[in-house]
Each structure stands twice: as structure tokens, then as C-alpha cells.
Amino acid sequence: SNVKITHRHLIDLATKHHVLHGKWLLYVKAEDIKTDWPKIRNAVIEGKLGSTAKISDAPDDHGSHVVCIYCPNSLDKDELLRVRRSISNNVGMYKTSVLRYKLDAFTYLTVYAKNQGVLRTRSYECGGKKGEECSTSISSWAV
């Protein structure tokens, strides 16, 4: 068809087909894995984060492991922000860093950040120097 594939178009497709789960992406240096992963694991078990989390088995090209903390409904902004705050407050990570959230629909469609900016993969950015407590969520799509 003549539909231009945009971030918004993929969000609409994900919503239409009920593929609403996604994840906060954390990058943990290889040397910090032994201390940081148990904090994340324990917070998931204690119900302080999303329903599940996973970690890559090998570091990426930058020497970091990718950690995904999953949330079941990307349309539930309150829950997304609760998990984001918990990453800072209960796990003690990324207090002043921007964290990015990506819908799994993008992953299923093999849309990755390495696409050289052709299509933005993240749906939320939260935190950083202007929002240490995650008081704002920046999104290109409104629900």
C-alpha cells in the first residue's frame, strides 16, 4: 500500500493487534553485572519492577550487557513511570540518566536502533538531569 511506515504507524498497528508489551532498556557494564543484576532480579521477585526481566549473556560492542525490564501494557503510562521510578529508587540505578522504553512490536518487526535513524525505535524517554524523579514522560504518540 501507499502507507508511509512511521513510528506512529507501527504504534497504531501494535495497538490494533494488542501487542502492547514492551521494556525499559538498561545497559550495565560487564564489570558491574555481579552487583547490579542481583538488585534487578530481587526487585522483580519482590514485585518492585515489571513482571519479568532478562539480561544478555554477553556484552555488546561497548562492553555493556543489555537488561530488559518488561511491562505488560505500554498504554499504561502510570505503570511505566512506576517501574521507571523503581529502577532509580528501589534498584538504585539510572538516577540521573535518561532511560528508554521500547515496544516489543518493534523488536518483532526487527526495527532496531542500528537502523541509522531511519525509524526511531523508542516510544518513551524518561529521566535525566531535568527529571531525576521521572516526573515527565516524553512521547511522540498520545493515547
Side-chain angles (χ1 to χ4, degrees):
S1 76
N2 292 330
V3 174
K4 181 179 179 185
I5 304 300
T6 63
H7 185 264
R8 178 69 214 189
H9 179 72
L10 293 180
I11 295 295
D12 290 344
L13 284 173
T15 303
K16 178 181 176 182
H17 295 283
H18 307 287
V19 183
L20 298 175
H21 38 83
K23 64 250 178 198
W24 286 107
L25 300 168
L26 286 70
Y27 299 90
V28 180
K29 293 282 184 195
E31 61 267 18
D32 297 329
I33 281 299
K34 288 185 179 181
T35 57
D36 289 351
W37 175 247
K39 293 177 193 175
I40 295 165
R41 179 201 60 215
N42 293 342
V44 169
I45 291 169
E46 295 167 5
K48 294 177 180 175
L49 291 177
S51 58
T52 190
K54 73 176 183 180
I55 186 169
S56 62
D57 59 356
D60 61 15
D61 296 340
H62 304 288
S64 295
H65 288 267
V66 179
V67 175
C68 300
I69 299 176
Y70 289 91
C71 297
N73 184 354
S74 299
L75 300 180
D76 186 346
K77 290 183 182 182
D78 291 338
E79 175 64 4
L80 296 181
L81 294 177
R82 182 197 69 79
V83 171
R84 170 57 177 103
R85 285 184 196 105
S86 186
I87 291 167
S88 292
N89 300 331
N90 294 316
V91 180
M93 298 176 67
Y94 288 87
K95 287 189 179 286
T96 59
S97 299
V98 173
L99 222 72
R100 289 166 176 83
Y101 183 87
K102 180 180 177 184
L103 273 79
D104 285 338
F106 285 76
T107 303
Y108 298 158
L109 294 169
T110 66
V111 177
Y112 295 102
K114 294 179 183 178
N115 293 332
Q116 305 299 330
V118 174
L119 185 63
R120 189 174 33 76
T121 60
R122 64 195 180 279
S123 294
Y124 292 99
E125 291 181 343
C126 191
K129 292 179 181 177
K130 293 183 180 178
E132 291 90 354
E133 295 297 320
C134 199
S135 59
T136 61
S137 175
I138 303 163
S139 174
S140 66
W141 55 290
V143 180

